[in-house]
Amino acid sequence: MRDPRPVHGRACASAVVLLVVVGLLAACASATPAGGDAAPVPEGVTSPAGRDPAADDPSSPGPAPGAQGGHAGDRGPDLSAHSPDDPSSPWVVVNKARPLDRAYVPELTEVRGYLLHPAAATDLTALLAAAEEDGVHLTVRSAYRSAEYQARVHDGWVAQLGRERAEQVSARPGHSEHQTGLAVDLGSTTQPGCDFSDCFGSTPEGRWLVEHATDFGFLLRYTAANQDLTGFAPEGWHLRHVGRELSAHLARERVDTLEELFDVPGGDRYP
Ligand SMILES: [Zn+2]
């Protein structure tokens, strides 16, 4: 989802950035706004294989039954450990069919001037540092957003794009993962004009996320392949924190969405 959510006194600068982004979007045929959770499909970002570095690893077929040295993790996490329904759960599933209480506010801490849940903040800090070591410099563009703020974001996209398109790219208030504090939108330093746009997926930063986000407990939540299930257009910049155990499990099992994993409703329609 677009729209920066600065913490301290950066509202003016962010507003300027947003205006620039909006202008760039208007100038880029493939660009899509993102007040919610989606934008067009960056190639590469939408590749399931790209999200699953373990998929092609012939060395990890899993241990033989009864083999000594097998790890508990080989059986995957206990999926009943955290609820997909509790807003404070690290595995909460929020989509068009599954709203949050609009009054819900998560525990939050600051990362690079933005607010995130502490668990997500820790892993994001590690992700950003690892990217830097690889010479990839990501920016944080948006993180926690209250329902009230999301309402303004959504209204803005409806005004700009019309309701039909806005609903594909922007969540209504109470239906955004950003309200959980577990979602973050990242940007490119080499091609900042691609932030919140289709072309983000082809930037060095977007490609790095395809390869490595899972390693740090994040999912690229909205892809072309899962749009029917998530209800939102693809967004190569939107990461959802679920923790490293679950992100590894999803990659290993080639499960693309939280909706499928927990067998909960999703899709394009609001109740
Ligand atoms: Zn987002």
Side-chain angles (χ1 to χ4, degrees):
M1 302 179 158
R2 314 188 162 182
D3 212 300
R5 179 61 171 171
V7 179
H8 298 304
R10 295 176 57 182
C12 292
S14 294
V16 170
V17 170
L18 177 60
L19 289 172
V20 171
V21 169
V22 169
L24 288 166
L25 286 170
C28 176
S30 65
T32 305
D37 283 292
V41 186
E43 310 127 59
V45 169
T46 60
S47 161
R51 297 184 55 189
D52 185 2
D56 299 323
D57 180 2
S59 68
S60 57
Q68 190 141 22
H71 304 295
D74 291 334
R75 295 191 300 272
D78 174 5
L79 295 181
S80 66
H82 302 289
S83 168
D85 304 320
D86 178 352
S88 66
S89 163
W91 297 346
V92 64
V93 184
V94 180
N95 57 37
K96 290 179 179 178
R98 296 169 55 82
L100 290 167
D101 182 337
R102 288 183 59 159
Y104 174 70
V105 178
E107 182 183 358
L108 295 166
T109 191
E110 186 179 337
V111 180
R112 293 199 184 183
Y114 290 84
L115 294 174
L116 271 182
H117 187 280
T122 298
D123 276 333
L124 178 63
T125 299
L127 180 152
L128 294 172
E132 298 274 347
E133 287 181 11
D134 288 347
V136 174
H137 307 289
L138 289 150
T139 56
V140 179
R141 297 300 309 274
S142 186
Y144 166 72
R145 297 202 291 259
S146 69
E148 290 70 27
Y149 187 79
Q150 184 67 28
R152 294 196 295 276
V153 169
H154 187 73
D155 288 348
W157 288 115
V158 170
Q160 181 174 332
L161 300 174
R163 180 162 295 283
E164 183 177 356
R165 180 59 183 158
E167 295 285 18
Q168 296 173 12
V169 302
S170 171
R172 296 179 187 174
H175 294 267
S176 172
E177 284 194 324
H178 284 275
Q179 194 188 333
T180 66
L182 299 172
V184 60
D185 297 327
L186 299 180
S188 167
T189 49
T190 58
Q191 298 175 66
C194 284
D195 286 7
F196 300 112
S197 297
D198 255 359
C199 57
F200 178 79
S202 60
T203 65
E205 296 85 356
R207 292 198 302 270
W208 192 92
L209 289 175
V210 169
E211 293 298 323
H212 299 291
T214 293
D215 299 339
F216 296 91
F218 289 93
L219 308 178
L220 285 172
R221 180 81 164 98
Y222 306 115
T223 70
N226 68 27
Q227 182 170 355
D228 289 345
L229 290 165
T230 65
F232 290 102
E235 287 192 351
W237 57 86
H238 175 103
L239 301 187
R240 160 63 197 271
H241 188 257
V242 295
R244 300 187 188 205
E245 185 181 24
L246 192 64
S247 66
H249 175 70
L250 286 161
R252 197 166 49 233
E253 299 299 318
R254 303 192 186 201
V255 176
D256 199 34
T257 66
L258 297 174
E259 285 81 1
E260 292 168 287
L261 183 70
F262 292 110
D263 192 24
V264 297
D268 191 42
R269 293 191 177 180
Y270 289 97

